[in-house]
Amino acid sequence: MKALPQISEAEFEVMKVIWKYAPISTNEITEKLTKTTTWSPKTIQTLIKRLVTKGALSYEKQSRVFVYTPLIEEKEYIGRESHSFLERYYGGKITAMLSSYIENDKLSESEIDTLRSLLTKGTSNGRD
């Protein structure tokens, strides 16, 4: 498994926009994030530069515009972060995490139904 860069919560917000719209220009990233955050364009540009330095993004200059593309896949990054969370807080046991959420009323009935459906689907695919 290749090493993935450590990404802060703010950088993750930038990555979500890039994953969704890539390839995307600096101005487009800034436009989208100024609508959903209180960040200045300068802050957004700093976060983009950090992500490039960390190896999470690549860019290409097209005339006078920088266009960004992710170098890591969203699914891969989120999977790794989910696994780290599970290891850190629940000893790697998903049943411990789900029990905690259910016991503390953190899951709605519809979420429980969705999980039940996923588990049924998983067992019918021959998984143990």
Side-chain angles (χ1 to χ4, degrees):
M1 180 159 84
K2 72 178 180 180
L4 296 174
Q6 291 293 318
I7 296 175
S8 70
E9 286 187 43
E11 291 164 345
F12 183 70
E13 290 303 312
V14 175
M15 287 300 297
K16 287 194 301 189
V17 169
I18 295 168
W19 280 320
K20 187 171 183 176
Y21 299 104
I24 184 170
S25 71
T26 308
N27 289 341
E28 291 168 319
I29 297 167
T30 302
E31 178 187 325
K32 291 182 185 315
L33 286 169
T34 54
K35 289 178 183 174
T36 59
T37 68
T38 58
W39 301 336
S40 71
K42 186 82 172 149
T43 298
I44 295 166
Q45 289 173 7
T46 298
L47 292 168
I48 293 168
K49 286 177 190 171
R50 285 184 192 164
L51 288 164
V52 169
T53 301
K54 290 180 177 187
L57 295 178
S58 68
Y59 66 90
E60 183 180 298
K61 191 170 183 184
Q62 296 178 355
S63 350
R64 302 174 84 183
V65 177
F66 288 92
V67 177
Y68 296 88
T69 305
L71 292 175
I72 57 176
E73 292 182 36
E74 181 178 21
K75 188 175 183 178
E76 181 182 15
Y77 184 78
I78 290 173
R80 191 219 36 203
E81 288 300 304
S82 298
H83 182 74
S84 296
F85 174 84
L86 198 59
E87 283 294 323
R88 179 180 295 156
Y89 297 105
Y90 298 98
K93 299 187 184 332
I94 195 159
T95 52
M97 182 188 78
L98 289 173
S99 293
S100 173
Y101 274 70
I102 291 167
E103 289 168 9
N104 293 301
D105 295 324
K106 302 247 184 201
L107 294 178
S108 68
E109 283 300 318
S110 69
E111 289 170 318
I112 291 170
D113 288 342
T114 300
L115 286 171
R116 191 175 285 118
S117 173
L118 288 170
L119 289 169
T120 302
K121 182 177 157 187
T123 55
S124 69
N125 287 338
R127 296 168 66 183
D128 293 323

